[in-house]
Amino acid sequence: MTAEPFDFDRIIDRRSLPSEKWGRYAGRDVLPLWVADMDFAAPPAVLEALQQRVGHGVFGYTEAWPSLVDAVIDGLRRDHDWSIEADWLVWLPGVVTGFNLACAIAGEAGDGVLTAAPVYPPFLSAPANVGRVLQRCDLVLQDGRWQWDWDALAAASSSRSRLLLLCSPHNPVGRVFDEAELRRLAAFAAERDLLICSDEIHCGLVLDEARPHRPIAALDEATARRTITLMAPSKTWNIPALYCAFAVIPDDAVRRRYRQAMRGIVPHANVLGMVAAEAAYRDGDDWRQALLAYLRGNRARVVEAVGKMPGLEMVVPEATYLAWIDCRQMMAERAQTDPTAFFEAAGVGLSDGAAFGAPGFVRLNLGCPRATLDEALARMARALGA
């Protein structure tokens, strides 16, 4: 048992029900630390709200209701010092849908979408889904932190750039961007008249207390007017398959274009997801704080263990429950071409960095009970002879 009010050490058997995360390795002795969902039960407040709603027994079409909207507004003010208006909210079934829509309303076919890699894989495919062109620059590792290469960002842009697609906090490198970085990005967008779409789904999972998350749209009114901010309770409170997210769009004209692009294509958010969202934002912060304390402990375990593994390097993530691990030295020393396959053979399932635009890296999900994490790290160490 943990010393915290919630038991994150409890191992829940996820093999007994359909699960993308655990189903990938069905029948194999492989611990899945890949896709970004955690192995923890949802918060008690969320479970109770869902049980009450299910008990009602009727699941008709439902729009967002006032207490849900108020819970989100209050949560963003409390957690990020960001005051928004109710009519800025556009409800969505997911954040991936949200940034694909942003690509669709940014310019015309053949126009450019800027983003920085390595990055969550759907960022790299979203532009082509709607006839846009990916314009990629790469983050660089400097002074122990992944940072923007401003020259590369400028070089990647063109007269046909229309959208800056931002991941903040960043998946997979775990950065919480400083206010100075955000202001420089906002100035870059203003100079080139770019729309900004900021995926901030990990904003509730900042591990470094000295680095609070700042929504880029919260910088100033001018930046807000050109920004679509995407958020959801799914990562923070571990309810991804309830399919409820939202866009915050302060500008009336941008919001109208966005809603127009949704018509006939994008379904409403799931009613149970909206119930869960209200409970999470209103009553889930004590669980979130306990989760963050537990994740900080898991992060320390991963940093210590990986630091002892020959040929592996990583930067301490400032946010998310994801560790981004550089395996290139190990691959060179062992003549390996696929680090994901190497660790899978050792009984640990990780995400392949190639999908994020960075072959030779892997992403490790540390959002699991310590017994699972410790066993996975031990398997990795044994495979490397550490």
Side-chain angles (χ1 to χ4, degrees), residues 176-373:
V176 177
F177 294 121
D178 302 334
E179 183 168 335
E181 292 172 296
L182 294 176
R183 289 197 178 279
R184 190 163 178 178
L185 287 170
F188 177 89
E191 289 165 5
R192 291 160 176 78
D193 194 24
L194 304 178
L195 186 66
I196 300 170
C197 181
S198 185
D199 173 358
E200 305 192 5
I201 198 170
H202 290 277
C203 62
L205 293 165
V206 174
L207 302 179
D208 284 11
E209 294 173 279
R211 300 185 185 279
H213 171 74
R214 184 82 184 273
I216 192 169
L219 292 176
D220 53 61
E221 185 178 346
T223 303
R225 284 198 303 269
R226 68 172 65 252
T227 300
I228 298 166
T229 304
L230 302 173
M231 292 182 172
S234 54
K235 299 302 181 187
T236 301
W237 288 282
N238 203 37
I239 48 174
L242 290 181
Y243 294 107
C244 176
F246 54 89
V248 183
I249 310 177
D251 185 82
D252 291 342
V254 175
R255 193 166 60 251
R256 283 195 299 271
R257 284 160 48 206
Y258 198 80
R259 289 189 183 277
Q260 178 67 37
M262 294 172 63
R263 290 179 185 171
I265 299 173
V266 179
H268 294 287
N270 184 295
V271 64
L272 294 181
M274 291 192 287
V275 168
E278 179 179 357
Y281 282 106
R282 187 187 62 220
D283 301 318
D285 199 55
D286 54 350
W287 185 91
R288 183 177 76 95
Q289 296 299 335
L291 169 71
L292 290 173
Y294 194 86
L295 292 177
R296 290 179 187 114
N298 279 7
R299 176 181 65 168
R301 277 171 142 77
V302 172
V303 170
E304 180 181 7
V306 170
K308 297 176 181 177
M309 295 182 193
L312 302 189
E313 295 182 354
M314 67 171 286
V315 173
V316 180
E318 299 164 358
T320 80
Y321 47 78
L322 307 166
W324 186 239
I325 303 172
D326 186 346
C327 305
R328 290 174 295 180
Q329 182 181 339
M330 178 273 287
M331 293 168 62
E333 292 173 349
R334 295 172 178 266
Q336 293 288 328
T337 58
D338 186 344
T340 311
F342 175 82
F343 287 116
E344 199 171 288
V348 183
L350 304 172
S351 294
D352 187 348
F356 298 77
F361 287 76
V362 296
R363 192 189 71 175
L364 181 151
N365 175 350
L366 54 87
C368 59
R370 296 227 166 106
T372 303
L373 181 62

Side-chain angles (χ1 to χ4, degrees), residues 155-173:
S157 69
S158 72
S159 61
R160 296 202 65 179
S161 299
R162 297 292 181 266
L163 175 68
L164 175 62
L165 191 53
L166 177 64
C167 190
S168 174
H170 196 279
N171 170 16
V173 305

Side-chain angles (χ1 to χ4, degrees), residues 119-132:
V119 72
Y120 179 49
F123 272 54
L124 301 175
S125 57
N129 290 342
V130 291
R132 306 303 186 263

